[in-house]
Amino acid sequence: VKSEGPKLVPFFKATCVYFVLWLPTSSPSWFSALIKCLPIFCLWVFLLAHGINFLVSHRSASRILAGLIFSAVGDAFLIWQEQGYFIHGLLMFAITHILYSSAFGMKPLDLKAGLLMGVVSSSCYAFLYSYLSGPFTYLVAVYIALIGFMGWRAMAGVQLCNDLWTWTKLSACVGAMLFMVSDLTIALNEFCFPVPYSRFIIMATYYAAQMLIALSAVETRDEEDFRKRS
């Protein structure tokens, strides 16, 4: 963790810039899109700093980088969500969750974690359902299924009882949970009722989630050894 910390300094600075400037959402612009996406750009640089060979030899890392790229595009779309680009942002983040799920892999399976995430995801959709109308009734269902699946795959990697875990797996799990909190807050604020301090909650959990997921791409021991033990 100590060796990776200095590489994240630009990300922390960019995040501080976003919260200090706190540009109004009522007047979207390319500048506000740049400021919002800047921390994610810094996470691109964080992964690229490990070298192209690292990304090529670790497919999970390259998929997380691809997910961060789609996230930045989604962030830009959401700047203009009032102009009708909310669905475009939703699609970009749906692709992000697919890429993250692929990066986390299907081993170990951990059906208990899958059942837990299924219950949580179903409960969230059941609550939101009465507030949804039109295409969002189906789009939100698909999106929740995708982010729930991503959360399951991240959670399954943390096998605390069997001592089959690394700090990178734990980082992925916590990051996925924070991503779900961020997106649930967006859904509540967008479709149900105004959430106090929603923008701060959404962005703080979102940036933390993306940082932790990016950190999870950094391998601390041979991946083959982890597979053998699991």
Side-chain angles (χ1 to χ4, degrees):
V1 178
K2 290 181 180 179
S3 65
E4 299 302 329
K7 297 174 187 173
L8 286 170
V9 169
F11 165 79
F12 290 120
K13 288 183 177 179
T15 302
C16 288
V17 168
Y18 173 82
F19 284 108
V20 168
L21 291 182
W22 204 243
L23 298 171
T25 56
S26 57
S27 53
S29 66
W30 285 108
F31 179 69
S32 60
L34 173 63
I35 295 302
K36 184 181 181 185
C37 296
L38 192 57
I40 307 303
F41 294 159
C42 291
L43 292 178
W44 296 4
V45 175
F46 166 75
L47 289 179
L48 289 170
H50 291 82
I52 299 300
N53 289 336
F54 169 80
L55 293 173
V56 171
S57 59
H58 293 75
R59 284 184 291 179
S60 60
S62 60
R63 288 167 186 170
I64 287 175
L65 176 60
L68 288 169
I69 292 172
F70 278 99
S71 293
V73 177
D75 280 332
F77 276 130
L78 291 182
I79 288 288
W80 284 277
Q81 62 179 340
E82 299 300 327
Q83 285 70 37
Y85 288 96
F86 182 80
I87 292 180
H88 298 73
L90 198 69
L91 175 60
M92 292 300 102
F93 280 107
I95 295 172
T96 294
H97 297 318
I98 293 172
L99 287 165
Y100 286 169
S101 299
S102 177
F104 299 150
M106 291 300 297
K107 293 182 180 180
L109 193 61
D110 197 348
L111 293 178
K112 291 182 180 178
L115 179 60
L116 175 61
M117 290 307 305
V119 170
V120 171
S121 299
S122 299
S123 299
C124 289
Y125 183 70
F127 179 83
L128 293 169
Y129 181 77
S130 60
Y131 296 94
L132 301 173
S133 60
F136 283 111
T137 304
Y138 311 102
L139 291 174
V140 172
V142 173
Y143 187 86
I144 288 177
L146 289 174
I147 194 171
F149 185 81
M150 187 270 289
W152 168 32
R153 297 320 312 146
M155 184 184 294
V158 183
Q159 300 287 300
L160 294 173
C161 296
N162 300 323
D163 194 31
L164 294 173
W165 65 282
T166 64
W167 70 266
T168 55
K169 303 293 181 183
L170 186 60
S171 178
C173 180
V174 176
M177 297 305 108
L178 287 175
F179 216 135
M180 294 179 72
V181 171
S182 179
D183 280 359
L184 179 59
T185 306
I186 291 176
L188 292 174
N189 196 63
E190 183 74 20
F191 301 114
C192 304
F193 48 78
V195 178
Y197 308 107
S198 60
R199 186 180 171 194
F200 176 80
I201 295 170
I202 290 166
M203 296 312 298
T205 53
Y206 170 68
Y207 285 141
Q210 293 283 40
M211 180 197 70
L212 290 168
I213 290 173
L215 267 174
S216 75
V218 181
E219 297 295 332
T220 56
R221 67 182 181 189
D222 191 82
E223 209 172 62
E224 201 61 38
D225 177 58
F226 179 83
R227 289 201 187 99
K228 288 176 182 177
R229 294 179 63 189
S230 60

mmCIF file of all heavy atoms in Angstrom, residues 60-108:
data_model
loop_
_atom_site.group_PDB
_atom_site.id
_atom_site.type_symbol
_atom_site.label_atom_id
_atom_site.label_comp_id
_atom_site.label_asym_id
_atom_site.label_seq_id
_atom_site.Cartn_x
_atom_site.Cartn_y
_atom_site.Cartn_z
ATOM 1 N N SER A 60 -7.089 -8.535 -15.936
ATOM 2 C CA SER A 60 -7.998 -7.888 -14.995
ATOM 3 C C SER A 60 -7.682 -6.394 -14.890
ATOM 4 O O SER A 60 -8.593 -5.556 -14.834
ATOM 5 C CB SER A 60 -7.896 -8.546 -13.610
ATOM 6 O OG SER A 60 -6.580 -8.439 -13.096
ATOM 7 N N ALA A 61 -6.399 -6.048 -14.901
ATOM 8 C CA ALA A 61 -6.004 -4.640 -14.815
ATOM 9 C C ALA A 61 -6.427 -3.877 -16.066
ATOM 10 O O ALA A 61 -6.916 -2.734 -15.985
ATOM 11 C CB ALA A 61 -4.498 -4.534 -14.608
ATOM 12 N N SER A 62 -6.261 -4.493 -17.234
ATOM 13 C CA SER A 62 -6.642 -3.823 -18.484
ATOM 14 C C SER A 62 -8.153 -3.628 -18.560
ATOM 15 O O SER A 62 -8.627 -2.612 -19.088
ATOM 16 C CB SER A 62 -6.140 -4.611 -19.695
ATOM 17 O OG SER A 62 -6.689 -5.915 -19.728
ATOM 18 N N ARG A 63 -8.920 -4.556 -18.003
ATOM 19 C CA ARG A 63 -10.379 -4.415 -18.002
ATOM 20 C C ARG A 63 -10.818 -3.325 -17.031
ATOM 21 O O ARG A 63 -11.786 -2.601 -17.297
ATOM 22 C CB ARG A 63 -11.029 -5.749 -17.647
ATOM 23 C CG ARG A 63 -10.909 -6.767 -18.785
ATOM 24 C CD ARG A 63 -11.258 -8.170 -18.362
ATOM 25 N NE ARG A 63 -11.005 -9.113 -19.439
ATOM 26 C CZ ARG A 63 -11.044 -10.433 -19.304
ATOM 27 N NH1 ARG A 63 -11.322 -10.967 -18.128
ATOM 28 N NH2 ARG A 63 -10.798 -11.209 -20.338
ATOM 29 N N ILE A 64 -10.120 -3.204 -15.922
ATOM 30 C CA ILE A 64 -10.430 -2.123 -14.989
ATOM 31 C C ILE A 64 -10.103 -0.779 -15.621
ATOM 32 O O ILE A 64 -10.861 0.191 -15.475
ATOM 33 C CB ILE A 64 -9.681 -2.325 -13.658
ATOM 34 C CG1 ILE A 64 -10.329 -3.483 -12.878
ATOM 35 C CG2 ILE A 64 -9.688 -1.045 -12.809
ATOM 36 C CD1 ILE A 64 -9.623 -3.860 -11.604
ATOM 37 N N LEU A 65 -8.999 -0.696 -16.343
ATOM 38 C CA LEU A 65 -8.668 0.536 -17.064
ATOM 39 C C LEU A 65 -9.752 0.866 -18.082
ATOM 40 O O LEU A 65 -10.184 2.024 -18.195
ATOM 41 C CB LEU A 65 -7.311 0.396 -17.769
ATOM 42 C CG LEU A 65 -6.887 1.583 -18.652
ATOM 43 C CD1 LEU A 65 -6.782 2.863 -17.825
ATOM 44 C CD2 LEU A 65 -5.564 1.279 -19.352
ATOM 45 N N ALA A 66 -10.222 -0.140 -18.814
ATOM 46 C CA ALA A 66 -11.299 0.078 -19.786
ATOM 47 C C ALA A 66 -12.563 0.557 -19.074
ATOM 48 O O ALA A 66 -13.268 1.448 -19.564
ATOM 49 C CB ALA A 66 -11.577 -1.210 -20.559
ATOM 50 N N GLY A 67 -12.835 -0.012 -17.886
ATOM 51 C CA GLY A 67 -13.990 0.413 -17.104
ATOM 52 C C GLY A 67 -13.875 1.867 -16.678
ATOM 53 O O GLY A 67 -14.867 2.618 -16.702
ATOM 54 N N LEU A 68 -12.679 2.287 -16.320
ATOM 55 C CA LEU A 68 -12.454 3.686 -15.935
ATOM 56 C C LEU A 68 -12.655 4.623 -17.125
ATOM 57 O O LEU A 68 -13.149 5.753 -16.959
ATOM 58 C CB LEU A 68 -11.041 3.848 -15.371
ATOM 59 C CG LEU A 68 -10.804 3.249 -13.979
ATOM 60 C CD1 LEU A 68 -9.310 3.232 -13.655
ATOM 61 C CD2 LEU A 68 -11.572 4.022 -12.905
ATOM 62 N N ILE A 69 -12.291 4.162 -18.309
ATOM 63 C CA ILE A 69 -12.498 4.979 -19.514
ATOM 64 C C ILE A 69 -13.991 5.179 -19.770
ATOM 65 O O ILE A 69 -14.455 6.300 -20.014
ATOM 66 C CB ILE A 69 -11.804 4.326 -20.725
ATOM 67 C CG1 ILE A 69 -10.285 4.371 -20.548
ATOM 68 C CG2 ILE A 69 -12.218 5.027 -22.027
ATOM 69 C CD1 ILE A 69 -9.510 3.580 -21.589
ATOM 70 N N PHE A 70 -14.757 4.098 -19.708
ATOM 71 C CA PHE A 70 -16.209 4.210 -19.889
ATOM 72 C C PHE A 70 -16.845 5.037 -18.771
ATOM 73 O O PHE A 70 -17.820 5.765 -18.998
ATOM 74 C CB PHE A 70 -16.850 2.822 -19.965
ATOM 75 C CG PHE A 70 -16.772 2.195 -21.321
ATOM 76 C CD1 PHE A 70 -15.790 1.253 -21.612
ATOM 77 C CD2 PHE A 70 -17.661 2.545 -22.317
ATOM 78 C CE1 PHE A 70 -15.700 0.671 -22.873
ATOM 79 C CE2 PHE A 70 -17.588 1.970 -23.587
ATOM 80 C CZ PHE A 70 -16.602 1.031 -23.867
ATOM 81 N N SER A 71 -16.290 4.951 -17.558
ATOM 82 C CA SER A 71 -16.798 5.750 -16.442
ATOM 83 C C SER A 71 -16.653 7.242 -16.727
ATOM 84 O O SER A 71 -17.570 8.031 -16.448
ATOM 85 C CB SER A 71 -16.045 5.412 -15.151
ATOM 86 O OG SER A 71 -16.314 4.104 -14.718
ATOM 87 N N ALA A 72 -15.498 7.624 -17.262
ATOM 88 C CA ALA A 72 -15.264 9.037 -17.570
ATOM 89 C C ALA A 72 -16.252 9.534 -18.623
ATOM 90 O O ALA A 72 -16.788 10.651 -18.515
ATOM 91 C CB ALA A 72 -13.825 9.236 -18.049
ATOM 92 N N VAL A 73 -16.523 8.696 -19.633
ATOM 93 C CA VAL A 73 -17.505 9.065 -20.654
ATOM 94 C C VAL A 73 -18.885 9.199 -20.018
ATOM 95 O O VAL A 73 -19.642 10.144 -20.308
ATOM 96 C CB VAL A 73 -17.530 8.025 -21.792
ATOM 97 C CG1 VAL A 73 -18.603 8.388 -22.821
ATOM 98 C CG2 VAL A 73 -16.173 7.930 -22.468
ATOM 99 N N GLY A 74 -19.215 8.267 -19.111
ATOM 100 C CA GLY A 74 -20.490 8.341 -18.406
ATOM 101 C C GLY A 74 -20.598 9.585 -17.552
ATOM 102 O O GLY A 74 -21.657 10.232 -17.502
ATOM 103 N N ASP A 75 -19.515 9.947 -16.883
ATOM 104 C CA ASP A 75 -19.494 11.176 -16.087
ATOM 105 C C ASP A 75 -19.798 12.391 -16.951
ATOM 106 O O ASP A 75 -20.550 13.290 -16.546
ATOM 107 C CB ASP A 75 -18.121 11.354 -15.430
ATOM 108 C CG ASP A 75 -17.957 10.497 -14.186
ATOM 109 O OD1 ASP A 75 -18.969 10.200 -13.533
ATOM 110 O OD2 ASP A 75 -16.813 10.126 -13.867
ATOM 111 N N ALA A 76 -19.187 12.432 -18.124
ATOM 112 C CA ALA A 76 -19.410 13.562 -19.028
ATOM 113 C C ALA A 76 -20.874 13.632 -19.467
ATOM 114 O O ALA A 76 -21.476 14.708 -19.481
ATOM 115 C CB ALA A 76 -18.494 13.434 -20.245
ATOM 116 N N PHE A 77 -21.461 12.483 -19.799
ATOM 117 C CA PHE A 77 -22.875 12.470 -20.183
ATOM 118 C C PHE A 77 -23.759 12.984 -19.047
ATOM 119 O O PHE A 77 -24.723 13.728 -19.278
ATOM 120 C CB PHE A 77 -23.311 11.053 -20.574
ATOM 121 C CG PHE A 77 -23.001 10.692 -22.001
ATOM 122 C CD1 PHE A 77 -22.351 9.504 -22.310
ATOM 123 C CD2 PHE A 77 -23.390 11.518 -23.047
ATOM 124 C CE1 PHE A 77 -22.067 9.160 -23.625
ATOM 125 C CE2 PHE A 77 -23.121 11.180 -24.371
ATOM 126 C CZ PHE A 77 -22.451 9.995 -24.657
ATOM 127 N N LEU A 78 -23.450 12.585 -17.812
ATOM 128 C CA LEU A 78 -24.294 12.965 -16.681
ATOM 129 C C LEU A 78 -24.205 14.460 -16.359
ATOM 130 O O LEU A 78 -25.079 14.992 -15.681
ATOM 131 C CB LEU A 78 -23.930 12.142 -15.449
ATOM 132 C CG LEU A 78 -24.292 10.650 -15.518
ATOM 133 C CD1 LEU A 78 -23.922 9.934 -14.230
ATOM 134 C CD2 LEU A 78 -25.781 10.462 -15.811
ATOM 135 N N ILE A 79 -23.155 15.125 -16.840
ATOM 136 C CA ILE A 79 -23.089 16.577 -16.689
ATOM 137 C C ILE A 79 -24.282 17.224 -17.404
ATOM 138 O O ILE A 79 -24.829 18.227 -16.962
ATOM 139 C CB ILE A 79 -21.751 17.124 -17.257
ATOM 140 C CG1 ILE A 79 -20.590 16.756 -16.332
ATOM 141 C CG2 ILE A 79 -21.816 18.634 -17.458
ATOM 142 C CD1 ILE A 79 -20.550 17.527 -15.027
ATOM 143 N N TRP A 80 -24.677 16.604 -18.536
ATOM 144 C CA TRP A 80 -25.792 17.122 -19.332
ATOM 145 C C TRP A 80 -27.041 16.234 -19.185
ATOM 146 O O TRP A 80 -27.823 16.108 -20.116
ATOM 147 C CB TRP A 80 -25.388 17.200 -20.797
ATOM 148 C CG TRP A 80 -24.478 18.351 -21.099
ATOM 149 C CD1 TRP A 80 -24.842 19.651 -21.337
ATOM 150 C CD2 TRP A 80 -23.044 18.318 -21.198
ATOM 151 N NE1 TRP A 80 -23.731 20.418 -21.579
ATOM 152 C CE2 TRP A 80 -22.616 19.644 -21.501
ATOM 153 C CE3 TRP A 80 -22.088 17.303 -21.062
ATOM 154 C CZ2 TRP A 80 -21.262 19.962 -21.664
ATOM 155 C CZ3 TRP A 80 -20.748 17.627 -21.218
ATOM 156 C CH2 TRP A 80 -20.343 18.936 -21.518
ATOM 157 N N GLN A 81 -27.225 15.650 -18.002
ATOM 158 C CA GLN A 81 -28.371 14.749 -17.839
ATOM 159 C C GLN A 81 -29.709 15.467 -17.984
ATOM 160 O O GLN A 81 -30.691 14.884 -18.460
ATOM 161 C CB GLN A 81 -28.299 14.031 -16.489
ATOM 162 C CG GLN A 81 -28.352 14.916 -15.272
ATOM 163 C CD GLN A 81 -28.295 14.093 -13.994
ATOM 164 O OE1 GLN A 81 -28.573 12.913 -13.999
ATOM 165 N NE2 GLN A 81 -27.937 14.734 -12.902
ATOM 166 N N GLU A 82 -29.766 16.735 -17.600
ATOM 167 C CA GLU A 82 -31.012 17.491 -17.743
ATOM 168 C C GLU A 82 -31.342 17.766 -19.204
ATOM 169 O O GLU A 82 -32.469 18.113 -19.542
ATOM 170 C CB GLU A 82 -30.910 18.818 -16.978
ATOM 171 C CG GLU A 82 -30.689 18.663 -15.473
ATOM 172 C CD GLU A 82 -31.814 17.894 -14.801
ATOM 173 O OE1 GLU A 82 -32.974 18.030 -15.274
ATOM 174 O OE2 GLU A 82 -31.552 17.164 -13.829
ATOM 175 N N GLN A 83 -30.336 17.642 -20.068
ATOM 176 C CA GLN A 83 -30.548 17.839 -21.509
ATOM 177 C C GLN A 83 -30.852 16.523 -22.222
ATOM 178 O O GLN A 83 -30.845 16.451 -23.449
ATOM 179 C CB GLN A 83 -29.304 18.495 -22.131
ATOM 180 C CG GLN A 83 -29.136 19.982 -21.825
ATOM 181 C CD GLN A 83 -28.771 20.262 -20.384
ATOM 182 O OE1 GLN A 83 -28.011 19.513 -19.784
ATOM 183 N NE2 GLN A 83 -29.302 21.342 -19.835
ATOM 184 N N GLY A 84 -31.111 15.482 -21.449
ATOM 185 C CA GLY A 84 -31.534 14.214 -22.036
ATOM 186 C C GLY A 84 -30.454 13.164 -22.190
ATOM 187 O O GLY A 84 -30.650 12.185 -22.913
ATOM 188 N N TYR A 85 -29.326 13.346 -21.498
ATOM 189 C CA TYR A 85 -28.225 12.396 -21.642
ATOM 190 C C TYR A 85 -28.082 11.451 -20.441
ATOM 191 O O TYR A 85 -27.065 10.787 -20.312
ATOM 192 C CB TYR A 85 -26.910 13.148 -21.865
ATOM 193 C CG TYR A 85 -26.822 13.780 -23.239
ATOM 194 C CD1 TYR A 85 -27.171 15.115 -23.434
ATOM 195 C CD2 TYR A 85 -26.422 13.029 -24.335
ATOM 196 C CE1 TYR A 85 -27.101 15.692 -24.688
ATOM 197 C CE2 TYR A 85 -26.344 13.597 -25.601
ATOM 198 C CZ TYR A 85 -26.688 14.932 -25.768
ATOM 199 O OH TYR A 85 -26.623 15.490 -27.018
ATOM 200 N N PHE A 86 -29.112 11.385 -19.605
ATOM 201 C CA PHE A 86 -29.039 10.511 -18.435
ATOM 202 C C PHE A 86 -28.933 9.044 -18.866
ATOM 203 O O PHE A 86 -28.127 8.281 -18.313
ATOM 204 C CB PHE A 86 -30.269 10.714 -17.540
ATOM 205 C CG PHE A 86 -30.241 9.882 -16.290
ATOM 206 C CD1 PHE A 86 -29.499 10.274 -15.190
ATOM 207 C CD2 PHE A 86 -30.956 8.689 -16.203
ATOM 208 C CE1 PHE A 86 -29.458 9.515 -14.026
ATOM 209 C CE2 PHE A 86 -30.933 7.915 -15.056
ATOM 210 C CZ PHE A 86 -30.181 8.336 -13.957
ATOM 211 N N ILE A 87 -29.724 8.641 -19.843
ATOM 212 C CA ILE A 87 -29.706 7.247 -20.310
ATOM 213 C C ILE A 87 -28.344 6.905 -20.916
ATOM 214 O O ILE A 87 -27.841 5.786 -20.729
ATOM 215 C CB ILE A 87 -30.826 6.991 -21.338
ATOM 216 C CG1 ILE A 87 -32.203 7.068 -20.645
ATOM 217 C CG2 ILE A 87 -30.657 5.642 -22.016
ATOM 218 C CD1 ILE A 87 -33.381 6.841 -21.557
ATOM 219 N N HIS A 88 -27.729 7.862 -21.601
ATOM 220 C CA HIS A 88 -26.404 7.625 -22.177
ATOM 221 C C HIS A 88 -25.380 7.348 -21.075
ATOM 222 O O HIS A 88 -24.551 6.436 -21.190
ATOM 223 C CB HIS A 88 -25.953 8.844 -22.991
ATOM 224 C CG HIS A 88 -26.835 9.154 -24.158
ATOM 225 N ND1 HIS A 88 -28.102 9.701 -24.007
ATOM 226 C CD2 HIS A 88 -26.653 8.993 -25.502
ATOM 227 C CE1 HIS A 88 -28.658 9.871 -25.193
ATOM 228 N NE2 HIS A 88 -27.802 9.446 -26.120
ATOM 229 N N GLY A 89 -25.473 8.137 -19.993
ATOM 230 C CA GLY A 89 -24.586 7.916 -18.858
ATOM 231 C C GLY A 89 -24.834 6.559 -18.215
ATOM 232 O O GLY A 89 -23.898 5.851 -17.833
ATOM 233 N N LEU A 90 -26.122 6.198 -18.118
ATOM 234 C CA LEU A 90 -26.505 4.910 -17.544
ATOM 235 C C LEU A 90 -25.892 3.765 -18.348
ATOM 236 O O LEU A 90 -25.361 2.790 -17.775
ATOM 237 C CB LEU A 90 -28.031 4.789 -17.542
ATOM 238 C CG LEU A 90 -28.671 3.740 -16.629
ATOM 239 C CD1 LEU A 90 -28.503 4.138 -15.167
ATOM 240 C CD2 LEU A 90 -30.151 3.588 -16.963
ATOM 241 N N LEU A 91 -25.924 3.885 -19.667
ATOM 242 C CA LEU A 91 -25.367 2.850 -20.543
ATOM 243 C C LEU A 91 -23.854 2.727 -20.351
ATOM 244 O O LEU A 91 -23.320 1.617 -20.269
ATOM 245 C CB LEU A 91 -25.679 3.182 -22.008
ATOM 246 C CG LEU A 91 -25.060 2.247 -23.056
ATOM 247 C CD1 LEU A 91 -25.551 0.822 -22.862
ATOM 248 C CD2 LEU A 91 -25.381 2.741 -24.468
ATOM 249 N N MET A 92 -23.161 3.861 -20.258
ATOM 250 C CA MET A 92 -21.703 3.836 -20.078
ATOM 251 C C MET A 92 -21.321 3.149 -18.764
ATOM 252 O O MET A 92 -20.382 2.353 -18.715
ATOM 253 C CB MET A 92 -21.139 5.261 -20.096
ATOM 254 C CG MET A 92 -21.228 5.976 -21.433
ATOM 255 S SD MET A 92 -20.328 5.135 -22.780
ATOM 256 C CE MET A 92 -21.687 4.358 -23.648
ATOM 257 N N PHE A 93 -22.056 3.436 -17.707
ATOM 258 C CA PHE A 93 -21.747 2.814 -16.422
ATOM 259 C C PHE A 93 -22.170 1.348 -16.388
ATOM 260 O O PHE A 93 -21.566 0.545 -15.670
ATOM 261 C CB PHE A 93 -22.388 3.598 -15.272
ATOM 262 C CG PHE A 93 -21.603 4.821 -14.898
ATOM 263 C CD1 PHE A 93 -22.051 6.083 -15.229
ATOM 264 C CD2 PHE A 93 -20.389 4.699 -14.224
ATOM 265 C CE1 PHE A 93 -21.309 7.211 -14.899
ATOM 266 C CE2 PHE A 93 -19.640 5.817 -13.889
ATOM 267 C CZ PHE A 93 -20.102 7.081 -14.225
ATOM 268 N N ALA A 94 -23.189 0.983 -17.164
ATOM 269 C CA ALA A 94 -23.558 -0.431 -17.275
ATOM 270 C C ALA A 94 -22.400 -1.217 -17.899
ATOM 271 O O ALA A 94 -22.050 -2.311 -17.434
ATOM 272 C CB ALA A 94 -24.821 -0.573 -18.116
ATOM 273 N N ILE A 95 -21.791 -0.650 -18.937
ATOM 274 C CA ILE A 95 -20.626 -1.292 -19.567
ATOM 275 C C ILE A 95 -19.467 -1.366 -18.574
ATOM 276 O O ILE A 95 -18.750 -2.373 -18.509
ATOM 277 C CB ILE A 95 -20.211 -0.522 -20.838
ATOM 278 C CG1 ILE A 95 -21.314 -0.606 -21.890
ATOM 279 C CG2 ILE A 95 -18.896 -1.074 -21.400
ATOM 280 C CD1 ILE A 95 -21.092 0.277 -23.102
ATOM 281 N N THR A 96 -19.304 -0.308 -17.783
ATOM 282 C CA THR A 96 -18.263 -0.291 -16.749
ATOM 283 C C THR A 96 -18.426 -1.458 -15.786
ATOM 284 O O THR A 96 -17.455 -2.152 -15.459
ATOM 285 C CB THR A 96 -18.312 1.037 -15.959
ATOM 286 O OG1 THR A 96 -17.967 2.116 -16.828
ATOM 287 C CG2 THR A 96 -17.337 1.012 -14.786
ATOM 288 N N HIS A 97 -19.646 -1.706 -15.336
ATOM 289 C CA HIS A 97 -19.889 -2.796 -14.379
ATOM 290 C C HIS A 97 -19.636 -4.163 -15.005
ATOM 291 O O HIS A 97 -19.172 -5.081 -14.328
ATOM 292 C CB HIS A 97 -21.317 -2.704 -13.828
ATOM 293 C CG HIS A 97 -21.573 -1.452 -13.052
ATOM 294 N ND1 HIS A 97 -20.655 -0.941 -12.152
ATOM 295 C CD2 HIS A 97 -22.641 -0.600 -13.030
ATOM 296 C CE1 HIS A 97 -21.144 0.173 -11.618
ATOM 297 N NE2 HIS A 97 -22.332 0.387 -12.134
ATOM 298 N N ILE A 98 -19.931 -4.298 -16.286
ATOM 299 C CA ILE A 98 -19.639 -5.552 -16.987
ATOM 300 C C ILE A 98 -18.125 -5.783 -17.026
ATOM 301 O O ILE A 98 -17.645 -6.897 -16.763
ATOM 302 C CB ILE A 98 -20.223 -5.528 -18.413
ATOM 303 C CG1 ILE A 98 -21.760 -5.527 -18.359
ATOM 304 C CG2 ILE A 98 -19.723 -6.727 -19.219
ATOM 305 C CD1 ILE A 98 -22.424 -5.302 -19.712
ATOM 306 N N LEU A 99 -17.383 -4.738 -17.332
ATOM 307 C CA LEU A 99 -15.925 -4.846 -17.386
ATOM 308 C C LEU A 99 -15.337 -5.155 -16.013
ATOM 309 O O LEU A 99 -14.438 -5.989 -15.889
ATOM 310 C CB LEU A 99 -15.328 -3.542 -17.939
ATOM 311 C CG LEU A 99 -15.538 -3.314 -19.442
ATOM 312 C CD1 LEU A 99 -15.241 -1.860 -19.808
ATOM 313 C CD2 LEU A 99 -14.657 -4.260 -20.252
ATOM 314 N N TYR A 100 -15.850 -4.497 -14.971
ATOM 315 C CA TYR A 100 -15.359 -4.752 -13.624
ATOM 316 C C TYR A 100 -15.675 -6.183 -13.193
ATOM 317 O O TYR A 100 -14.845 -6.855 -12.580
ATOM 318 C CB TYR A 100 -15.962 -3.759 -12.623
ATOM 319 C CG TYR A 100 -15.398 -2.357 -12.706
ATOM 320 C CD1 TYR A 100 -15.997 -1.301 -12.021
ATOM 321 C CD2 TYR A 100 -14.260 -2.074 -13.456
ATOM 322 C CE1 TYR A 100 -15.474 -0.019 -12.076
ATOM 323 C CE2 TYR A 100 -13.737 -0.793 -13.522
ATOM 324 C CZ TYR A 100 -14.352 0.229 -12.829
ATOM 325 O OH TYR A 100 -13.833 1.505 -12.886
ATOM 326 N N SER A 101 -16.874 -6.654 -13.519
ATOM 327 C CA SER A 101 -17.247 -8.035 -13.182
ATOM 328 C C SER A 101 -16.310 -9.023 -13.845
ATOM 329 O O SER A 101 -15.866 -10.001 -13.234
ATOM 330 C CB SER A 101 -18.692 -8.318 -13.628
ATOM 331 O OG SER A 101 -19.612 -7.470 -12.972
ATOM 332 N N SER A 102 -15.999 -8.760 -15.119
ATOM 333 C CA SER A 102 -15.076 -9.618 -15.854
ATOM 334 C C SER A 102 -13.692 -9.583 -15.222
ATOM 335 O O SER A 102 -13.002 -10.602 -15.140
ATOM 336 C CB SER A 102 -15.007 -9.160 -17.313
ATOM 337 O OG SER A 102 -14.069 -9.911 -18.037
ATOM 338 N N ALA A 103 -13.277 -8.399 -14.757
ATOM 339 C CA ALA A 103 -11.958 -8.258 -14.120
ATOM 340 C C ALA A 103 -11.887 -9.045 -12.815
ATOM 341 O O ALA A 103 -10.873 -9.668 -12.502
ATOM 342 C CB ALA A 103 -11.653 -6.789 -13.870
ATOM 343 N N PHE A 104 -12.975 -9.040 -12.039
ATOM 344 C CA PHE A 104 -12.982 -9.739 -10.757
ATOM 345 C C PHE A 104 -13.049 -11.257 -10.936
ATOM 346 O O PHE A 104 -12.607 -12.008 -10.061
ATOM 347 C CB PHE A 104 -14.161 -9.264 -9.904
ATOM 348 C CG PHE A 104 -14.116 -7.798 -9.568
ATOM 349 C CD1 PHE A 104 -15.291 -7.075 -9.379
ATOM 350 C CD2 PHE A 104 -12.912 -7.125 -9.444
ATOM 351 C CE1 PHE A 104 -15.257 -5.724 -9.074
ATOM 352 C CE2 PHE A 104 -12.862 -5.767 -9.136
ATOM 353 C CZ PHE A 104 -14.048 -5.064 -8.958
ATOM 354 N N GLY A 105 -13.601 -11.714 -12.061
ATOM 355 C CA GLY A 105 -13.609 -13.136 -12.374
ATOM 356 C C GLY A 105 -14.712 -13.914 -11.673
ATOM 357 O O GLY A 105 -15.444 -13.393 -10.833
ATOM 358 N N MET A 106 -14.799 -15.203 -12.000
ATOM 359 C CA MET A 106 -15.853 -16.070 -11.474
ATOM 360 C C MET A 106 -15.351 -17.070 -10.431
ATOM 361 O O MET A 106 -16.076 -17.976 -10.042
ATOM 362 C CB MET A 106 -16.523 -16.822 -12.619
ATOM 363 C CG MET A 106 -17.353 -15.953 -13.533
ATOM 364 S SD MET A 106 -18.716 -15.078 -12.693
ATOM 365 C CE MET A 106 -19.717 -16.448 -12.125
ATOM 366 N N LYS A 107 -14.098 -16.936 -9.997
ATOM 367 C CA LYS A 107 -13.558 -17.823 -8.966
ATOM 368 C C LYS A 107 -13.015 -17.005 -7.816
ATOM 369 O O LYS A 107 -12.310 -16.014 -8.045
ATOM 370 C CB LYS A 107 -12.446 -18.708 -9.548
ATOM 371 C CG LYS A 107 -12.940 -19.715 -10.574
ATOM 372 C CD LYS A 107 -11.780 -20.569 -11.064
ATOM 373 C CE LYS A 107 -12.249 -21.580 -12.100
ATOM 374 N NZ LYS A 107 -11.133 -22.418 -12.579
ATOM 375 N N PRO A 108 -13.333 -17.421 -6.578
ATOM 376 C CA PRO A 108 -14.274 -18.479 -6.187
ATOM 377 C C PRO A 108 -15.718 -18.061 -6.440
ATOM 378 O O PRO A 108 -16.010 -16.867 -6.494
ATOM 379 C CB PRO A 108 -13.996 -18.635 -4.691
ATOM 380 C CG PRO A 108 -13.496 -17.297 -4.265
ATOM 381 C CD PRO A 108 -12.721 -16.753 -5.427
#
